[in-house]
Amino acid sequence: MISKKTKKLMIPGPVEVHPDVLRALAEPVEPHYGDAWVEKYQRVLSLLAEVFNTKGDIFLMMGSGSCAIDAAIGSSLLTGEKIIVGNNGFFGDRLVSIARRNGLKVVEVAGEWGKKLDPQDFSKAFKKHPDAKGVAVVHSETSTTVINPVEEIGPIARKHDAVFIVDAVSALGGLPYDMGAWCIDICATASQKCLGAPPGLAPIAITKRAWEFINRVETNAHGWYTDLRVWRKYSIDWADWHPTPVTMATNIVNALLVALEQLMKEGIVNRMERYRRLALQLREGMRAAGMPPFTPDEELNPVLTAGYSPKGIPSSEVVKYLFEKYNIQISGGLGELKQKVFRIGHMSPIITEQDISLVCNALNAFGK
Ligand SMILES: Cc1ncc(COP(=O)(O)O)c(C=O)c1O
């Protein structure tokens, strides 16, 4: 039986968070400096380093994921330089905008919405534009659920001496990560998705190689807050008492710390496997309900699934039905996929098999 009172947030972020994560938010406000704070802040960074799988620097910017992406692109490339940007969805398009507004010349590698970017297209783009200094790609394209092959695109960027920037906003904490093996130089994400914390923080990881790009021109600046050199300066100069240039959102950092400790307790590999199993369960249920997944099972996104709305019915009807009848909040399609698909986020660390069954049963009841 489906309880009509059950309230479930299953959009592609923000996600439902663990009660202990919420409790951390309610702790008294504390200063963002001093010994105790520095120790806690460093602990958060060291846990994030395990999730990013990097030995590089990590900063915890305050803002949403877009803030970290802006910082990555704006800090590592100079006005007028060329960047090759993969674009096969709404957030690929956002990357293009961010690059343009930082004064860069954008070479778009366009891909069909719903299909993975083709690494060969990046090699071809470098052939035409050997002077390109950067490559940027969305890892998990939240608008289509497609996972782009960053592990194949990274080595191409490396071969052509370009900095490789990845938008991991809906990927980090939901997919196994290896910045080193995949040649990712800067990786940007957000607290409110697979990391299982509330919105407000934008973790960013920067490798030694990326600093070579960032350090090139002292006057290169596309802002102050988003200049990664500012964040590095304070992390060094004030390391022992105030490791950030600005006042930190200490309560959200506390909440993220609890969420990261829970992830470590479960184990990164175990959690990723659990997500994959839940994704398969959901896919099966969607097929049974006559609303098949938008992408094939072999290319499943472990934390996010889109499904076709029944023929002739706009997907907003499915979204509305689940919300009004079952108090389950899912999302509609974005851009080209508006009204064609609905999207179900299962990137919350507290999602269970029962939650997935609830959604499957609700979908199954649609139109009956
Ligand atoms: C892949 C991807 N990139 C970027 C963003 C933008 O993130 P934010 O809203 O945290 O700025 C999102 C948000 O959904 C996303 O899914």
Side-chain angles (χ1 to χ4, degrees):
M1 267 305 285
I2 313 165
S3 158
K4 295 193 176 176
K5 292 200 189 82
T6 314
K7 191 170 182 191
K8 274 277 129 210
L9 180 63
M10 294 185 72
I11 59 174
V15 301
E16 279 183 1
V17 306
H18 193 281
D20 289 346
V21 173
L22 282 182
R23 270 189 280 275
L25 282 177
E27 290 291 318
V29 173
E30 61 188 300
H32 58 288
Y33 49 80
D35 291 348
W37 176 255
V38 169
E39 194 182 319
K40 189 186 286 178
Y41 184 73
Q42 290 306 336
R43 167 109 182 109
V44 174
L45 298 193
S46 70
L47 294 177
L48 279 170
E50 285 188 51
V51 190
F52 276 113
N53 207 344
T54 183
K55 291 190 171 52
D57 292 308
I58 296 176
F59 302 132
L60 213 43
M61 302 183 83
M62 281 164 296
S64 69
S66 304
C67 167
I69 297 168
D70 216 345
I73 292 179
S75 299
S76 59
L77 294 160
L78 310 178
T79 304
E81 281 187 333
K82 265 187 201 164
I83 183 170
I84 299 172
V85 181
N87 184 357
N88 59 340
F90 182 88
F91 292 104
D93 221 37
R94 168 86 52 97
L95 273 186
V96 170
S97 285
I98 293 174
R100 288 215 172 108
R101 283 171 189 235
N102 275 290
L104 306 183
K105 290 189 186 118
V106 174
V107 176
E108 270 187 73
V109 166
E112 203 182 315
W113 282 45
K115 296 269 178 296
K116 290 191 276 186
L117 290 167
D118 183 349
Q120 300 275 344
D121 289 343
F122 287 82
S123 296
K124 285 181 200 155
F126 271 114
K127 234 179 216 146
K128 270 198 182 160
H129 303 276
D131 53 339
K133 287 281 188 293
V135 174
V137 166
V138 176
H139 194 172
S140 160
E141 176 48 81
T142 317
S143 61
T144 61
T145 77
V146 162
I147 299 193
N148 283 315
V150 296
E151 68 287 355
E152 292 176 61
I153 299 168
I156 297 169
R158 181 69 53 94
K159 187 174 141 199
H160 292 88
D161 293 326
V163 63
F164 185 40
I165 298 165
V166 170
D167 165 349
V169 170
S170 66
L172 196 86
L175 303 174
Y177 240 79
D178 194 338
M179 280 183 63
W182 302 345
C183 303
I184 300 176
D185 296 305
I186 311 185
C187 191
T189 191
S191 52
Q192 76 273 16
K193 300 205 189 243
C194 315
L195 292 176
L201 295 173
I204 182 165
I206 304 130
T207 63
K208 221 166 141 191
R209 183 173 183 270
W211 285 116
E212 290 170 17
F213 285 84
I214 299 167
N215 289 337
R216 283 177 302 161
V217 180
E218 195 49 44
T219 52
N220 175 43
H222 293 112
W224 180 86
Y225 188 81
T226 50
D227 186 342
L228 292 173
R229 290 172 302 179
V230 172
W231 288 76
R232 178 180 57 182
K233 178 176 165 48
Y234 285 83
S235 76
I236 297 168
D237 294 358
W238 287 6
D240 57 351
W241 80 286
H242 185 310
T244 50
V246 293
T247 310
M248 285 304 288
T250 49
N251 291 59
I252 311 182
V253 178
N254 285 337
L256 178 61
L257 176 58
V258 173
L260 288 169
E261 279 173 340
Q262 288 176 347
L263 169 57
M264 293 310 151
K265 193 164 172 212
E266 180 174 357
I268 296 177
V269 174
N270 295 342
R271 181 166 295 174
M272 309 291 127
E273 182 48 32
R274 180 163 68 83
Y275 282 155
R276 213 186 62 82
R277 281 199 308 271
L278 293 175
L280 284 168
Q281 182 195 344
L282 177 60
R283 285 169 166 262
E284 206 170 298
M286 284 164 58
R287 281 194 197 94
M291 302 182 208
F294 179 61
T295 58
D297 283 0
E298 311 79 66
E299 293 175 16
L300 70 76
N301 187 321
V303 290
L304 180 62
T305 306
Y308 284 105
S309 192
K311 243 199 173 100
I313 297 175
S315 60
S316 57
E317 292 293 314
V318 179
V319 174
K320 193 165 158 228
Y321 177 79
L322 260 63
F323 189 62
E324 287 182 354
K325 286 263 184 198
Y326 298 104
N327 234 338
I328 300 171
Q329 198 166 2
I330 64 169
S331 279
L334 274 178
E336 287 180 20
L337 298 175
K338 199 169 161 65
Q339 300 300 6
K340 289 189 187 145
V341 302
F342 54 84
R343 293 173 303 142
I344 300 175
H346 34 100
M347 53 184 73
S348 165
I350 57 172
I351 202 109
T352 62
E353 275 177 36
Q354 286 75 19
D355 297 325
I356 300 289
S357 296
L358 212 65
V359 178
C360 293
N361 292 339
L363 287 175
N364 209 29
F366 180 81
K368 295 195 175 123

